Amino acid sequence: MSKKSYLSGRDKELQELAEQYEAHKAENKPIYLDADDLADLADWYAIRHKNEIATEVVEYGLNIHPENTALLVEQAYLYLDIQEREKAKEIIEQISENSSEVKVLKANLLVGEGRYDDAEQLLDSIEDKEDLANIVDVAYLYIDTGAPERALPWLARGIEQNGEEEAFLAVTGDCYYAQGKYEEASMFYNKLIDKNPYSASYWFGLARCYFDQQMFDKTIEACDYAIVADDEFADAYIMRGHSYFQIGNEESALENYKQAEKLDAITPSFMHTFIGLNKVSKGEWEDALTHLEQAIADQDIDDSLTLPALYANAALCLHKMGKKRKAHQYCKKARDLDPDEVDSYLIEGRIYMEEDDYEKGVKKWAKALEIAPEADTWHEIGMSSMEIGQLSYAKLAFEHVKEMEPDFGGINEKLTSLYMLLRDKENFIKYNQLCEHPFKLEELEKIQQLLLDEDQEDLAKAMKNIFESLK
């Protein structure tokens, strides 16, 4: 699909067309629609992650309107979306016209191959460069292919004549967002919302800006409005789920993910992964393993981005359940799938540390740091060390985090808690003063009571309570 943002009025028309199409399909009755309407309807479905229906609509349209350019262009975009570039090329070869729309499609293919000069030469042959539709199509070409800065000269052509048109405001907002200029993008989305407060895509555009600025409450509110405008706008449920997860409300996150799953925007594998990792964080090892292994079974074996982390977390569950041999087999599987997956070494290092094989544990953590010598890696080592009561390793790790990124989220609180456990009064006072919410006397008395019996298990429980109190 071309990933265009439909104006609110057109979006409503397409929703009504979708209802008509699906009603006729359910009754096995034919329906005649204009070729351009069918092409836009296919794109409308694709934007909503309903690629099978989108493909079906295009094929249905081509039966009614053979060799229609708009439908063939849409079919080519659908192939590009799933990385079937050769099939997209075959479709393009069937198109006899050389309209602006076709030139943009061909340029899209060239940009995907890194042939920017050839693409720009082709786009430069478009006759009416000031036409709003052409400006929008070319701008989205560059936005969708990760080069939004190349859209700017085209947008500049339309400011004077089209500066207040919805289509121009929408593509400009999307262009700013793609460049990471969230405040500027928000300004354009707010203008669009003023023009039409019932557009789900405009509210979602604003929600994306808030989310990337970590303004999660505002993200949720914007998604609420998007869903009121269109209760089948799947991306809003996903974004709202992510936001709830970020603020620690896993239950609400799961509700939104389930809604997105009903709309076919999230796979069962994602759901099992989310639930499994959530249960890992809560120490519900058997339930976590069930979901993680189901996620592994549902994954495409070639999906090397997710599988190593799934195997590594499943290994931790197996270790906690006393199945050490299988746990290490899963660790090896994770490493074989991706030797540079940091989480695999962090988790295997923790497993060795819990097995009192400190030499192997430290080697695994050292390998993680070799791959990613960053504050995040040290932080994960520190958190694992705290959870298993290895305070000396935690001290080393958290001090590294503080040195590398002094403003790392929560680091002052963690160092304060750590030095309290180590009974290091000087460093406790030092870091407590840097905390956003320093410990008070009554809080310290409660924590002191928890630490009366200082075996490893109680230390871990104490630290969990301390961290919970800091939220």
Side-chain angles (χ1 to χ4, degrees):
M1 62 181 171
S2 57
K3 297 185 181 177
K4 65 184 80 170
S5 289
Y6 288 110
L7 304 186
S8 50
R10 181 57 173 159
D11 191 74
K12 186 177 180 180
E13 289 173 3
L14 290 170
Q15 188 170 355
E16 292 172 356
L17 281 177
E19 291 170 1
Q20 293 175 30
Y21 176 81
E22 291 175 23
H24 280 73
K25 179 184 172 185
E27 297 177 9
N28 201 25
K29 293 181 179 179
I31 180 174
Y32 181 88
L33 293 173
D34 178 81
D36 288 336
D37 284 343
L38 284 164
D40 282 351
L41 181 59
D43 195 34
W44 185 88
Y45 276 119
I47 289 169
R48 285 155 178 77
H49 307 285
K50 298 181 179 181
N51 290 344
E52 288 186 13
I53 302 180
T55 301
E56 175 191 295
V57 168
V58 168
E59 291 173 352
Y60 181 83
L62 286 170
N63 284 330
I64 302 173
H65 309 281
E67 300 181 5
N68 178 269
T69 297
L71 288 165
L72 289 172
V73 166
E74 185 59 34
Q75 190 174 46
Y77 276 121
L78 288 170
Y79 279 125
L80 287 176
D81 282 349
I82 58 174
Q83 304 303 313
E84 294 278 1
R85 304 185 67 81
E86 292 305 316
K87 289 186 177 179
K89 288 180 180 178
E90 291 174 10
I91 298 299
I92 292 172
E93 289 173 0
Q94 298 176 35
I95 302 173
S96 57
E97 291 184 26
N98 201 24
S99 62
S100 299
E101 184 182 29
V102 175
K103 288 179 179 180
V104 173
L105 170 61
K106 291 178 178 179
N108 196 306
L109 199 64
L110 292 169
V111 168
E113 296 172 353
R115 297 166 59 186
Y116 287 102
D117 290 342
D118 291 338
E120 289 183 359
Q121 185 176 354
L122 178 59
L123 293 172
D124 194 50
S125 69
I126 292 175
E127 292 183 6
D128 191 355
K129 297 182 181 62
E130 278 71 38
D131 178 72
L132 179 57
N134 289 335
I135 290 171
V136 169
D137 284 347
V138 173
Y140 275 120
L141 181 162
Y142 285 123
I143 292 168
D144 295 343
T145 54
E149 67 284 351
R150 291 178 180 265
L152 298 178
W154 283 84
L155 291 175
R157 291 187 172 103
I159 291 176
E160 186 174 345
Q161 186 174 348
N162 304 297
E164 292 302 316
E165 295 288 336
E166 276 191 60
F168 187 82
L169 292 171
V171 72
T172 305
D174 289 346
C175 188
Y176 276 119
Y177 173 79
Q179 295 177 83
K181 297 178 179 180
Y182 306 124
E183 291 185 7
E184 291 92 336
S186 296
M187 180 183 71
F188 281 93
Y189 294 132
N190 276 312
K191 278 188 175 183
L192 288 163
I193 289 167
D194 287 341
K195 286 178 175 290
N196 186 348
Y198 301 104
S199 169
S201 61
Y202 298 163
W203 281 109
F204 180 70
L206 187 60
R208 291 190 304 172
C209 295
Y210 287 144
F211 185 85
D212 286 348
Q213 293 177 89
Q214 300 186 5
M215 301 163 69
F216 301 119
D217 289 338
K218 285 191 172 184
T219 305
I220 291 168
E221 183 180 11
C223 287
D224 289 343
Y225 282 112
I227 291 166
V228 168
D230 181 356
D231 62 3
E232 292 191 358
F233 199 90
D235 286 335
Y237 289 106
I238 297 171
M239 182 71 73
R240 194 164 67 173
H242 291 342
S243 300
Y244 275 121
F245 183 74
Q246 289 293 329
I247 62 176
N249 189 339
E250 290 91 351
E251 185 176 346
S252 292
L254 182 58
E255 289 175 4
N256 279 275
Y257 290 147
K258 285 182 176 178
Q259 189 62 42
E261 184 184 24
K262 289 179 184 177
L263 296 169
D264 297 322
I266 281 180
T267 63
S269 176
F270 176 93
M271 292 300 300
H272 284 297
T273 299
F274 175 79
I275 296 170
L277 294 178
N278 188 31
K279 289 187 177 294
V280 166
S281 70
K282 295 177 179 178
E284 298 174 10
W285 308 114
E286 291 188 17
D287 285 348
L289 181 62
T290 298
H291 285 285
L292 292 173
E293 291 196 320
Q294 186 59 57
I296 290 170
D298 291 343
Q299 284 280 317
D300 185 331
I301 195 64
D302 293 327
D303 187 356
S304 59
L305 294 176
T306 308
L307 277 172
L310 290 173
Y311 273 109
N313 280 278
L316 179 60
C317 296
L318 289 164
H319 162 73
K320 291 292 188 178
M321 294 163 62
K323 300 179 180 180
K324 295 184 178 180
R325 185 168 178 271
K326 191 173 182 181
H328 285 290
Q329 287 176 344
Y330 270 34
C331 287
K332 184 178 184 302
K333 181 69 173 177
R335 293 197 312 273
D336 289 345
L337 284 166
D338 186 355
D340 293 327
E341 169 57 52
V342 175
D343 285 347
S344 302
Y345 296 101
L346 289 171
I347 289 174
E348 191 171 14
R350 171 179 174 168
I351 290 172
Y352 277 126
M353 297 295 280
E354 290 191 24
E355 291 174 352
D356 296 331
D357 194 337
Y358 302 118
E359 184 178 351
K360 287 185 178 179
V362 169
K363 283 183 178 178
K364 294 298 178 184
W365 283 349
K367 180 63 176 177
L369 287 165
E370 179 185 325
I371 296 169
E374 301 159 3
D376 281 325
T377 311
W378 278 110
H379 180 259
E380 289 301 315
I381 292 171
M383 292 299 292
S384 293
S385 299
M386 292 297 281
E387 288 180 26
I388 62 179
Q390 294 293 334
L391 302 188
S392 59
Y393 289 110
K395 175 184 173 182
L396 174 68
F398 287 148
E399 287 288 4
H400 270 290
V401 174
K402 181 66 178 176
E403 181 181 352
M404 295 173 77
E405 292 188 26
D407 296 325
F408 193 96
I411 190 58
N412 294 321
E413 287 77 6
K414 291 179 177 66
L415 283 165
T416 299
S417 304
L418 174 61
Y419 282 116
M420 176 170 45
L421 287 172
L422 293 170
R423 304 187 187 281
D424 184 333
K425 183 178 180 181
E426 182 179 348
N427 278 309
F428 168 78
I429 293 173
K430 171 185 172 182
Y431 289 110
N432 193 42
Q433 291 174 338
L434 297 174
C435 291
E436 186 175 352
H437 302 290
F439 282 109
K440 298 178 182 177
L441 180 60
E442 56 269 25
E443 293 170 333
L444 294 176
E445 289 174 350
K446 290 180 184 178
I447 294 169
Q448 186 178 25
Q449 188 65 34
L450 290 170
L451 297 174
L452 291 176
D453 185 4
E454 292 187 0
D455 61 37
Q456 298 298 321
E457 184 178 353
D458 285 337
L459 278 175
K461 289 180 180 177
M463 286 315 305
K464 183 176 181 181
N465 282 302
I466 289 170
F467 288 155
E468 287 295 323
S469 73
L470 291 171
K471 290 181 178 179

